[in-house]
Amino acid sequence: QVQLVESGGGLVQAGGSLRLSCAASGRTFSYNAMGWFRQAPGKDREFVAAVSGSGGTTYYADSVKGRFTISRDNAKNTVYLQMNSLKPEDTAVYYCAVRSSTIGSSKMVDYEYWGQGTQVTVSS
């Protein structure tokens, strides 16, 4: 059974940093693109970042470009999201996801497996 477990969320002041992790189990995802999405209260879930299966190509939403970095460790079956210069508008539940393709995507429908999410709260 495939399982994705996010961790690393929490409460941080504006300008601070957090590092999210997403550990996959049940199968190896070394060739699968992985992504991060977020959902703020009262809003739709939105794309944050994605990384190709090899880790060589990354994709970012404009709102986080230059502040967030996605990476992966295929030996650990884990994807990370380093979040710097956090803003109150980054407050959301963050979800990781995996798709069958090696190419990253910003579309939720392209992802087959999802984690349960981790809360990130940025205070002003």
Side-chain angles (χ1 to χ4, degrees), residues 86-106:
L86 282 161
K87 306 175 181 180
E89 50 264 43
D90 294 318
T91 294
V93 176
Y94 284 71
Y95 300 87
C96 71
V98 178
R99 65 177 306 209
S100 58
S101 171
T102 60
I103 301 172
S105 171
S106 63

Side-chain angles (χ1 to χ4, degrees), residues 17-79:
S17 298
L18 282 175
R19 189 195 194 202
L20 305 184
S21 300
C22 173
S25 61
R27 54 169 282 193
T28 300
F29 291 107
S30 300
Y31 300 102
N32 298 79
M34 302 182 77
W36 286 96
F37 291 77
R38 67 186 181 187
Q39 188 167 15
K43 295 187 177 181
D44 293 334
R45 194 171 299 188
E46 64 176 7
F47 170 73
V48 176
V51 60
S52 64
S54 67
T57 304
T58 55
Y59 315 77
Y60 295 96
D62 288 342
S63 59
V64 306
K65 203 170 293 183
R67 300 187 298 122
F68 291 10
T69 302
I70 189 171
S71 62
R72 65 189 298 160
D73 184 338
N74 284 342
K76 296 182 178 180
N77 228 18
T78 299
V79 64

